């Protein structure tokens, strides 16, 4: 009983600190946000590579990948704040070539697996985190409120999907990948996200009703796909948690799995409607 209580306290405390750090960063400055999400990107990528790379990738190769990831992340940040003119998204292709060339020096490795893992890490993890810098620095001015509200929708969706799933869950959503997820939880989380989006539009982001409603749908649908995608990878590699960086919550990848699918789609959506 005491062990279970301590686990709940630990999970609650870690979750509160995690949320507080994100809120403070997004309300404080572009530099703070850059630093916080840069650390999150670096740790998440490390967890992803550790799970998926296997034993065929040399440690120095992984270090080089992380350095290149920091370079891409920093370049997109500088572009977002107007300090860099060349669109850094084009850097990904040269980096892919560097990865492919580097593989020539990896004796006995699985070339296709190694290059594919590196490229997926750049596109799946580094790019979404980098897009944060673009979203919060649109029009040359820092404003983290919209991204913070997206996080609010994610947290609301996750919390109520869990509660509805526990209380009413009978029909499995995707049993092969995640046996605990249910349609009832998915619908409950979606309804809560939509209600939360209305409240945000009414009392925080006045005049953005359409934007917030669309973001609520994106959070519900693509957040679920993001969660399932990570679950499938972990199931394939027989891993329960992506890491132990966040006591009671697993790793950073576990906390940002839905976010990695949401941000790119949200960016495209906001560009289209605006």
């Amino acid at each position: 009983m005491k062990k279970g209580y301590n686990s709940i306290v630990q999970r609650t405390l870690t979750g509160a600190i995690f949320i507080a750090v994100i809120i403070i960063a997004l309300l404080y400055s572009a530099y703070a946000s850059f630093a916080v999400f840069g650390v999150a990107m670096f740790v998440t990528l490390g967890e992803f590579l550790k799970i998926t790379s296997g034993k065929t990738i040399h440690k120095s190769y992984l270090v080089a990948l992380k350095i290149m990831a920091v370079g891409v992340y920093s370049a997109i940040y500088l572009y977002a704040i107007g300090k860099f003119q060349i669109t850094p998204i084009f850097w990904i292709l040269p980096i892919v070539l560097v990865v492919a060339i580097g593989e020539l020096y990896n004796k006995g490795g699985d070339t296709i697996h190694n290059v594919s893992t590196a490229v997926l890490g750049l596109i799946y993890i580094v790019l979404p985190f980098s897009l944060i810098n673009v979203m919060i620095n649109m029009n040359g001015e820092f404003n983290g409120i919209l991204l913070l509200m997206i996080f609010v929708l994610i947290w609301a969706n996750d919390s109520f999907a869990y509660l509805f799933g526990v209380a009413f869950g009978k029909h499995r959503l995707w049993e092969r990948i995640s046996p605990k997820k249910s349609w009832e939880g998915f619908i409950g989380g979606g309804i809560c996200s939509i209600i939360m989006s209305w409240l945000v539009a009414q009392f925080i982001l006045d005049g953005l009703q359409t934007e917030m409603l669309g973001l609520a749908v994106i959070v519900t649908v693509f957040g679920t796909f993001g969660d399932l995608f990570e679950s499938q990878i972990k199931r394939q590699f027989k891993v329960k948690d992506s890491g132990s960086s966040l006591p009671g919550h697993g790793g950073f990848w576990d906390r940002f799995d839905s976010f990695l699918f949401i941000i790119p789609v949200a960016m495209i959506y906001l560009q289209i409607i605006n």
Side-chain angles (χ1 to χ4, degrees):
M1 183 72 177
K2 185 178 179 180
K3 183 178 180 180
Y5 174 77
N6 290 337
S7 177
I8 293 173
V9 171
Q10 183 185 60
R11 181 179 176 85
T12 302
L13 182 60
T14 302
I17 294 173
F18 177 80
I19 291 173
V21 169
I22 290 178
I23 292 174
I24 292 171
L26 289 175
L27 292 180
Y28 186 66
S29 72
Y31 300 109
S33 299
F34 167 78
V36 167
F37 290 109
V39 170
M41 179 277 294
F42 190 82
V43 176
T44 302
L45 180 64
E47 293 173 351
F48 169 80
L49 292 174
K50 182 178 180 180
I51 291 172
T52 60
S53 62
K55 298 179 180 179
T56 62
I57 299 182
H58 196 274
K59 288 184 178 180
S60 60
Y61 189 84
L62 295 178
V63 171
L65 284 175
K66 293 177 183 178
I67 292 173
M68 287 188 285
V70 172
V72 171
Y73 178 80
S74 301
I76 293 179
Y77 167 74
L78 292 173
Y79 175 79
I81 63 173
K83 301 294 185 181
F84 197 73
Q85 299 303 315
I86 301 174
T87 305
I89 195 70
F90 295 116
W91 283 29
I92 291 181
L93 180 56
I95 287 176
V96 171
L97 297 179
V98 171
V99 169
I101 293 170
E103 189 59 28
L104 298 175
Y105 298 91
N106 186 22
K107 298 179 180 179
D110 185 341
T111 299
I112 295 297
H113 174 265
N114 293 348
V115 174
S116 300
T117 299
V119 173
L120 180 60
L122 288 170
I123 296 174
Y124 168 53
I125 293 175
V126 178
L127 189 55
F129 275 107
S130 300
L131 287 175
I132 285 177
N133 296 308
V134 178
M135 180 178 287
I136 64 178
N137 290 289
M138 286 184 176
N139 303 317
E141 295 183 2
F142 170 72
N143 189 338
I145 295 296
L146 180 59
L147 180 59
L148 179 57
M149 293 305 103
I150 291 176
F151 272 108
V152 168
L153 294 181
I154 293 173
W155 296 330
N157 181 75
D158 288 349
S159 299
F160 281 85
Y162 173 77
L163 294 174
F164 272 75
V166 170
F168 309 107
K170 293 181 179 179
H171 302 86
R172 298 302 99 187
L173 178 65
W174 217 302
E175 192 167 7
R176 176 176 61 86
I177 299 174
S178 185
K180 294 183 179 181
K181 288 190 178 300
S182 66
W183 278 104
E184 289 81 1
F186 174 77
I187 294 170
I191 291 173
C192 178
S193 295
I194 291 172
I195 294 174
M196 185 62 70
S197 72
W198 180 84
L199 292 173
V200 168
Q202 287 292 114
F203 299 106
I204 300 177
L205 299 176
D206 186 34
L208 296 182
Q209 285 82 359
T210 301
E211 287 86 344
M212 291 308 303
L213 178 60
L215 289 173
V217 174
I218 290 171
V219 164
T220 301
V221 175
F222 288 93
T224 300
F225 279 125
D227 192 349
L228 289 170
F229 182 70
E230 190 219 11
S231 295
Q232 176 149 312
I233 293 177
K234 291 193 299 183
R235 182 174 290 272
Q236 177 182 338
F237 288 92
K238 297 179 174 58
V239 174
K240 183 178 183 294
D241 294 323
S242 67
S244 56
S245 306
L246 299 169
H249 290 265
F252 274 71
W253 188 16
D254 294 320
R255 292 302 92 205
F256 285 100
D257 53 358
S258 59
F259 162 89
L260 295 173
F261 271 41
I262 291 168
I263 289 300
V265 180
M267 281 291 293
I268 294 171
Y269 166 71
L270 292 172
Q271 290 296 315
I272 290 174
I273 65 174
N274 291 322

